[in-house]
Amino acid sequence: MRCSYIRLLVEDYASSFRFYRDVMRFPVLWGAESTRYAEFDVGSPTRLALNEREAMAEALGTTGRDAALPGQDRVSVIFEVDDVDASAAELVTAGAPQVSPPQDRPVWGIRAAHFRDPDGYLLEVNRPLET
């Protein structure tokens, strides 16, 4: 398992995109000001990603009645693994609270599962989908 992304779940995506592109001067690897997701090169193997908060809440089903869970996430730590299903099963067995089971997310280009750490931070294990 390796930490591949730190994903900030932002309210004002366009402003955040401009900040990291224009003020911080991080090269854009993927995405644009008009998308709901972008990745930046921060000079290390781990990338910084921006995701519109509402888009992640929709994907996890935490909109509506669960809108306050937990204050709609602000950050997610992403770990790339060789086998999402096996890693997810190991995490469940070890006691990690699962938010969403392994599933293909074709729009994202990954298979992913989501968990929470003891403080409620959102964790994702993923692997690129086979093409």
Side-chain angles (χ1 to χ4, degrees), residues 26-102:
F26 292 141
V28 177
L29 297 172
W30 193 94
E33 190 174 330
S34 62
T35 61
R36 297 171 85 181
Y37 180 83
E39 298 173 4
F40 297 88
D41 181 346
V42 293
S44 74
T46 301
R47 295 178 179 182
L48 174 68
L50 297 180
N51 205 158
E52 186 179 73
R53 282 177 87 192
E54 187 62 24
M56 182 58 85
E58 289 168 5
L60 297 179
T62 59
T63 58
R65 67 176 172 75
D66 295 327
L69 175 72
Q72 287 301 350
D73 296 298
R74 305 281 305 172
V75 66
S76 180
V77 182
I78 315 305
F79 297 95
E80 187 172 325
V81 297
D82 291 329
D83 184 327
V84 172
D85 295 73
S87 294
E90 289 173 14
L91 289 168
V92 167
T93 298
Q98 190 170 48
V99 175
S100 67

Side-chain angles (χ1 to χ4, degrees), residues 8-26 28 32-38 40 48 50-53 74:
L8 303 179
L9 307 175
V10 298
E11 287 290 331
D12 186 341
Y13 174 83
S15 292
S16 294
F17 180 88
R18 288 190 303 271
F19 176 83
Y20 286 101
R21 181 192 63 194
D22 301 339
V23 176
M24 299 299 292
R25 299 183 187 266
F26 292 141
V28 177
E33 190 174 330
S34 62
T35 61
R36 297 171 85 181
Y37 180 83
F40 297 88
L48 174 68
L50 297 180
N51 205 158
E52 186 179 73
R53 282 177 87 192
R74 305 281 305 172

